[in-house]
Amino acid sequence: MTHRENWKLRHERLHVKHRGHEAMHAEMVLILVATLLVAQVVLVQWKQRHTRSYNLMTLLQMWAMPLYFTIKLYWWRFLSMWGLFSLVTCFVIFRATRKPLSCHTPRMVYKWFLMVYKLSYAVGVVGYMAIMLTMFGFNVFFRVKAEDSMDVGVVMLFYGLYYGVMGRDFAEICSDYMASTIGYYNQGGIPSRTLTADICAVCGQQILVDLDQEGLIEDTYQLSCNHIFHEFCIRGWCIVGKKQTCPYCNEKVDMKRMMNNPWEKTHMLYSQLLDWLRYLVAWQPIIIGIVHGINFSLGLE
């Protein structure tokens, strides 16, 4: 018996087992919908009232939840990649939270998370294309089974989205720590240092240096508030670190003006998709677990 025939047989047995339980199934659906609505309200209120604790718990959930399923289902490939990502990211976070902060640390942090972001974006796009090509039957031209090509597409799409979310969340934490340490940024108040025109508030280094001076020689970018930064620094701050305000005066950044390249505008849609996935991966398993607990306590199967 083939894999598909075996799956059809199990599916038919499942229908026979649950035949005549329509009222019970309707009750379970109502419990699921009600739990989802209540959970959504609770999470939204938590996020609005206690943003930092919500983000921290969501990040911990995102980091730990796949580990549980990986060990349970013996997904060793994902576990190895998860472990490598965790080791490097822990080292980057360690460097970003040291005091005094090295002048090279902000650039190193943004380079790592920018690389993770770009790789996750590319892997996710390839996975999505593989799924679409399989759905339209193009896999036959490559002599690949539909099940195999679909599995590859789903796995690559999940890898891209998952590590994209993780990278941006950890980058946001590092951005807060580094900017607060440098002193030109304070999320809830007045910065501890006064910004001068020749200093980049993101990395704390001089914006323009002479050829015989030690420093960074690169393009600059001026925001609508007239504050000037290294272009790499402000892009890392806004795109990778999820900060859409000026690092010094907290004025709103015009992201459309910053991303004048049409190809870069897709990053905004990708970022919104990552925000949605964060809820799906972090909190959905817990919500489903609560639903199962309610069903079990009510004697529903």
Side-chain angles (χ1 to χ4, degrees):
M1 185 179 295
T2 64
H3 175 73
R4 182 178 292 274
E5 291 173 344
N6 192 18
W7 179 83
K8 287 183 177 180
L9 180 60
R10 291 201 305 268
H11 196 66
E12 290 175 358
R13 289 175 178 173
L14 186 65
H15 275 286
V16 172
K17 179 180 178 181
H18 291 277
R19 188 173 298 159
H21 297 171
E22 287 77 10
M24 181 184 296
H25 295 163
E27 188 176 352
M28 294 172 70
V29 170
L30 289 176
I31 292 173
L32 174 62
V33 172
T35 306
L36 287 174
L37 291 176
V38 172
Q40 186 67 26
V41 172
V42 171
L43 290 174
V44 169
Q45 291 298 318
W46 183 12
K47 184 178 181 179
Q48 291 178 348
R49 298 172 184 270
H50 306 284
T51 305
R52 293 180 68 88
S53 63
Y54 171 83
N55 290 336
L56 181 59
M57 287 302 300
T58 302
L59 181 58
L60 291 176
Q61 285 285 109
M62 284 283 299
W63 181 75
M65 189 63 67
L67 179 62
Y68 167 76
F69 290 105
T70 296
I71 297 175
K72 183 178 180 179
L73 300 175
Y74 306 106
W75 292 344
W76 305 122
R77 179 177 53 199
F78 179 86
L79 182 61
S80 60
M81 294 189 64
W82 181 90
L84 178 62
F85 171 82
S86 299
L87 285 175
V88 178
T89 301
C90 286
F91 171 76
V92 171
I93 294 175
F94 174 79
R95 291 287 302 273
T97 53
R98 295 305 93 193
K99 294 182 180 180
L101 189 70
S102 171
C103 62
H104 301 291
T105 298
R107 182 161 296 266
M108 181 267 293
V109 170
Y110 286 126
K111 278 186 176 180
W112 164 246
F113 287 116
L114 182 61
M115 183 187 71
V116 172
Y117 179 78
K118 288 184 175 181
L119 283 176
S120 67
Y121 181 78
V123 171
V125 168
V126 172
Y128 176 77
M129 290 178 61
I131 293 174
M132 290 296 102
L133 291 174
T134 303
M135 292 179 65
F136 286 105
F138 285 96
N139 57 289
V140 297
F141 294 104
F142 302 98
R143 297 181 179 180
V144 179
K145 293 181 179 179
E147 295 86 351
D148 295 338
S149 58
M150 185 63 74
D151 287 346
V152 171
V154 170
V155 169
M156 293 186 70
L157 182 61
F158 173 78
Y159 274 45
L161 295 176
Y162 175 75
Y163 288 109
V165 171
M166 294 291 289
R168 281 168 57 83
D169 282 0
F170 279 121
E172 183 180 17
I173 293 175
C174 292
S175 297
D176 281 338
Y177 269 104
M178 291 187 300
S180 299
T181 301
I182 292 172
Y184 297 113
Y185 170 77
N186 191 325
Q187 187 178 15
I190 300 175
S192 59
R193 299 173 66 182
T194 302
L195 182 67
T196 57
D198 62 335
I199 296 296
C200 174
V202 178
C203 66
Q205 301 300 303
Q206 282 187 310
I207 295 176
L208 300 175
V209 297
D210 296 329
L211 294 176
D212 58 344
Q213 288 183 303
E214 182 181 358
L216 303 173
I217 301 176
E218 62 172 88
D219 295 335
T220 60
Y221 188 88
Q222 185 176 19
L223 299 179
S224 57
C225 58
N226 295 325
H227 291 127
I228 303 175
F229 307 90
H230 294 125
E231 185 173 9
F232 180 86
C233 292
I234 193 61
R235 282 178 172 270
W237 172 266
C238 293
I239 300 174
V240 182
K242 298 195 300 181
K243 304 293 186 182
Q244 297 187 9
T245 58
C246 173
Y248 183 67
C249 67
N250 288 326
E251 182 176 317
K252 185 74 173 178
V253 174
D254 186 358
M255 296 298 295
K256 293 181 179 179
R257 175 172 168 264
M258 178 177 289
M259 296 183 177
N260 50 16
N261 187 336
W263 292 103
E264 290 184 335
K265 293 182 179 180
T266 58
H267 290 288
M268 296 298 296
L269 297 176
Y270 182 62
S271 302
Q272 295 172 359
L273 177 62
L274 294 181
D275 291 335
W276 173 80
L277 184 76
R278 179 184 296 106
Y279 166 80
L280 183 65
V281 175
W283 297 109
Q284 201 71 5
I286 294 180
I287 295 173
I288 297 300
I290 294 174
V291 171
H292 281 301
I294 295 174
N295 290 337
F296 179 78
S297 63
L298 296 177
L300 303 176
E301 295 182 359

